[in-house]
Structures are given as C-alpha cells and as structure tokens.
Amino acid sequence: MRFQNTLLTLLFFLIWIPQLLRGQFYWEVMTNVNEVRDLLIREDTLYAATGGGLLIYDLTTGEHRTVTAADGIADQNFTTLTWSEKGTVILGTQGGSLTFYHPATETFYQDRSLVGNEIVNLQAQQDTLWVVTKKMVAVYLFHREQARFLFQDFFQNFKQDFTEFRDLAVYRMRVFVASDVGLYSAPSNFLHYNLKAADSWTLQTVADGLPDASIFSLLATEDTLYIGTDNGMAKYASDTFTTFRNGLSPARVKHLVLQDGTLYADNGTTMYRLEGNLFRALARAPYNRLVTFAVDHRAHLWGSVVDKGLRDFTARQRLWFNSPIDNHISRVYLDSRNRLWVLTSRVKEERKKGFSVLENGQWRNFKYLDRWTNMSSADAILEDSQGNIWLGSWG
C-alpha cells in the first residue's frame, strides 16, 4: 500500500508540474520600509536602509521605489549603508551579508563572507571597504578586473573586553572603531601590519582625554576626527581631544553629519547644528525616539522615528509608505470579506508591534485596540460563522 501511495504521488507531480510551469505567476513582495535604520543623501536622492529593503526617494519629485527580495536580494533586512566613489551604494544587513547596488544601472551584487555577524557600519575609502560588526572589523579591496569589492580579512582580537562596536572611521592612516569601552585604533595598512594581533590595536579612554568611554559615532575629515560620546562630542586633532557639549540636553551624541562644511549632531531626541562652541537645537523628534538623520543640500533635516516612518523635519512633512506594520510575520489569515490579516507576534514573544489588515490594496495598521495594549502581541486569529474576527494575544 505504501508503494502504491508513493507511486500515485509521483505520477501526480509528473502530470501537475508541467501544467504549473506553463502558467504565468506574478509575485508581489509587501514589506515595511517605514522602519528606517540608516540614511544616505546623494544630490537629489535619498537612500534609506530599512528592515524591508532599500528605499530610494527622489527629493525633487517625491517619487520612490524599493529594492527588495522581489528583485533578487537574498537578505533585505538592512541595518546600515554608505556610498563608494565607485558609484555604488553599499548596504549591510542584520544577518551579515553585503549588497552592492549601482543606481546608474539598477543592478547589484552580494557578498556573504560575514554571514552570522550583524553589520553596524561601513566605510568606503578609494579601493578599500571597512566593515564593522558588533564584535569584529573586516576589510574588502576593490578588484578592478572583476569590478567589485572582494573580502580580504577580519580582525577580532583586542586588548580589552567590550560589549559591542558601534561605528568606524579612517583618519590619518589609522582605522578607528567606536565601542562601549573607548576608542580602538590600528594602522589602516592591514597588508603591512598584522591587525589580527591584539597588540596592533590601541585603546583610548577617559584617561587619554575622551569625555566618556562610551562612544556612539565617528566622523573623519582631512584634518579632524569627531567623536560622539555619552557625554558630549570630542574633536581629535594633533593628538589632542577637545570636548564640546554646550547646548546639548542631554549631552549624549548619537550621530554626526557633515554637510557643506557644517556639523550636525543628535542625541537621540533632538537634532543640533554646531555654531562655534555651541550646539543649537533645530528640531525634536516625536516621542523623543529618533533613529537616525541626514541633511540634504537645502539644509533640510531628514530623520526616521521609531515606528513612525521618515520625516522632513524642516518642511514638517511626514512620509509613510503603504505597508504592513512589521516585517516579522507569524500568522496570515484571509477572511470571508477578502481581507488579509497579518499578525506579528508569537507565543512567549512579546514584540508588541501590532497587527495589519490589507483591504482594497490599502494597509491599516493597529498598535492596540482601545486600552487592550496586549493586542499588540496578537498571535491567534479566528473568524466565526457571523463574520466576526477573534484575536488572541500573548501577555
């Protein structure tokens, strides 16, 4: 009997698969691109690394498009991005892969040498690409014949234990790495120096003049390294640290942006412009939950807010793209009215992201219903004979 069942199943597939292959299928990938993790502005184009792919927004026309798994990208859960003078947008993912996207040709290639290591920052300088993950530093070189960056090496031996790396910059022939215990640095000529040896790396802390050992951001110019810390910004030049914190409240500096010779910063809630020795407040994020920001050539402040999408703070314009509330999907349900319900939580996993309903091509997103905040962790759904929808939540 088992042999007969197996034979019938095999015959079914042999008959059915050719019919399937002759058909034409249209796949639509619906992702949330409102969860912006990093921003890059080149001329009139804004590039956003999101949890649901690469968002490309034209600052002049307001038109946008996305690059997602539908285009062939293996991992669209982007965490950071940078620009290479090769005319390439380079993106890192939470899973450790890299995507190299060419806007001029709308083509890309990918690299999976660092899979398993969340990428937190990228720095491209001429033919060298530095990649920093939460626990190590890696380097790529541009191969001219293949016209792409190729993985060279990684470095994970350091003198002192740390929790995470947060940023990276190349300054005066040294590569600097921001961490929660201080500022690491080593010679950037990794072909000549053995950066796998812990002794090749130095660590600078408060004892060396830093205002705080917890460092969030780095920004390098030709003659200065700017360092954002938990207690103000340090300017490193001529082997000396100078601290700036006047006007910051609180004094934490999460990100640094240089646009047309002007330095901007944020502390996770408010964006500032440095004027002399004073940080002048420019705009404040709703709910004090700023993720990141960038500045365009008009000096407009663009930023992303946790769960609230992208904003032009200068023009007071909010951009929200039609999409489900989250990219983490636990359950999908199509009811009798042809509405698609998407739940985002699981048992014992209180993500509290809410749920979404797709109806007539439009998404409606719900964080909670009335005062039932646990509805944001819904993980079960049922439609009864009367057409009522029942949701069950965890927590």
Side-chain angles (χ1 to χ4, degrees):
M1 177 65 70
R2 180 178 301 174
F3 173 76
Q4 291 177 342
N5 289 338
T6 302
L7 182 60
L8 288 173
T9 301
L10 179 60
L11 288 173
F12 171 78
F13 276 104
L14 288 175
I15 295 171
W16 178 70
I17 287 178
Q19 302 295 325
L20 178 66
L21 294 176
R22 279 197 294 269
Q24 292 184 351
F25 296 90
Y26 173 73
W27 291 92
E28 181 181 0
V29 175
M30 294 174 283
T31 64
N32 176 13
V33 294
N34 295 300
E35 184 189 356
V36 178
R37 279 85 172 267
D38 200 5
L39 290 170
L40 167 69
I41 295 178
R42 293 287 301 179
E43 299 177 348
D44 290 324
T45 303
L46 179 148
Y47 300 92
T50 81
L54 170 64
L55 170 67
I56 304 173
Y57 181 81
D58 191 310
L59 298 175
T60 302
T61 65
E63 297 179 351
H64 79 279
R65 58 190 178 86
T66 59
V67 182
T68 67
D71 302 288
I73 291 180
D75 186 353
Q76 63 183 17
N77 191 7
F78 295 123
T79 53
T80 185
L81 78 171
T82 193
W83 177 262
S84 164
E85 64 179 24
K86 311 300 179 185
T88 307
V89 178
I90 307 174
L91 302 105
T93 68
Q94 192 173 64
S97 64
L98 290 173
T99 296
F100 300 81
Y101 177 75
H102 300 278
T105 59
E106 298 185 0
T107 59
F108 62 87
Y109 64 93
Q110 299 169 93
D111 180 272
R112 295 176 55 82
S113 301
L114 302 175
V115 166
N117 299 277
E118 180 178 346
I119 297 173
V120 298
N121 199 263
L122 304 161
Q123 190 71 233
Q125 191 175 69
Q126 297 178 351
D127 287 345
T128 305
L129 171 65
W130 291 93
V131 181
V132 60
T133 74
K134 287 195 170 183
K135 290 295 184 180
M136 69 179 182
V137 176
V139 64
Y140 288 67
L141 285 179
F142 189 77
H143 193 284
R144 296 189 180 278
E145 291 183 0
Q146 296 187 34
R148 61 177 55 197
F149 284 95
L150 300 179
F151 173 76
Q152 300 297 307
D153 211 343
F154 68 92
F155 317 108
Q156 57 183 357
N157 296 318
F158 305 93
K159 290 183 178 180
Q160 183 173 328
D161 291 336
F162 59 92
T163 301
E164 63 178 7
F165 285 148
R166 295 165 174 166
D167 204 352
L168 180 147
V170 179
Y171 170 69
R172 294 290 177 89
M173 303 298 293
R174 293 185 70 84
V175 54
F176 289 83
V177 186
S179 78
D180 59 307
V181 297
L183 183 64
Y184 284 95
S185 69
S188 59
N189 188 350
F190 67 95
L191 296 176
H192 180 74
Y193 296 93
N194 179 20
L195 300 195
K196 284 188 175 294
D199 290 340
S200 296
W201 295 86
T202 61
L203 177 64
Q204 293 170 290
T205 64
V206 175
D208 300 290
L210 281 168
D212 197 280
S214 183
I215 301 173
F216 294 100
S217 55
L218 300 172
L219 175 64
T221 64
E222 185 176 345
D223 57 1
T224 305
L225 177 66
Y226 297 95
I227 306 162
T229 79
D230 205 26
N231 188 28
M233 183 195 76
K235 179 179 178 181
Y236 184 62
S238 302
D239 298 325
T240 302
F241 292 102
T242 305
T243 300
F244 299 80
R245 62 171 71 92
N246 291 337
L248 293 171
S249 180
R252 175 179 298 172
V253 175
K254 296 295 293 290
H255 303 93
L256 293 163
V257 175
L258 187 67
Q259 175 65 31
D260 294 332
T262 301
L263 187 68
Y264 299 83
D266 82 85
N267 58 7
T269 62
T270 304
M271 287 156 283
Y272 299 84
R273 181 176 59 231
L274 183 63
E275 300 178 357
N277 295 326
L278 174 69
F279 281 100
R280 185 174 300 279
L282 301 177
R284 191 178 186 89
Y287 311 102
N288 300 328
R289 302 177 72 189
L290 184 71
V291 178
T292 188
F293 81 103
V295 184
D296 68 19
H297 61 87
R298 302 167 299 170
H300 280 216
L301 298 172
W302 292 84
S304 64
V305 182
V306 176
D307 294 334
K308 299 297 179 181
L310 189 63
R311 291 174 185 258
D312 179 346
F313 285 93
T314 305
R316 298 184 179 181
Q317 175 189 6
R318 181 195 180 197
L319 300 181
W320 182 266
F321 303 98
N322 183 38
S323 67
I325 200 168
D326 194 22
N327 289 309
H328 184 286
I329 296 175
S330 60
R331 217 173 278 271
V332 177
Y333 184 84
L334 186 66
D335 67 16
S336 60
R337 295 168 57 184
N338 207 34
R339 296 177 301 183
L340 185 68
W341 297 72
V342 177
L343 309 187
T344 64
S345 189
R346 294 174 180 169
V347 175
K348 297 184 180 181
E349 185 179 3
E350 292 189 72
R351 290 176 51 79
K352 295 187 176 180
K353 286 288 187 176
F355 62 93
S356 303
V357 182
L358 177 64
E359 185 175 13
N360 298 323
Q362 292 295 316
W363 287 97
R364 287 188 297 156
N365 298 319
F366 300 88
K367 190 72 174 180
Y368 55 83
L369 297 177
D370 196 15
R371 297 182 180 180
W372 191 7
T373 57
N374 283 339
M375 181 53 62
S376 60
S377 292
D379 67 312
I381 184 169
L382 175 69
E383 182 179 15
D384 63 24
S385 59
Q386 304 301 315
N388 299 309
I389 298 295
W390 296 79
L391 294 172
S393 65
W394 170 263

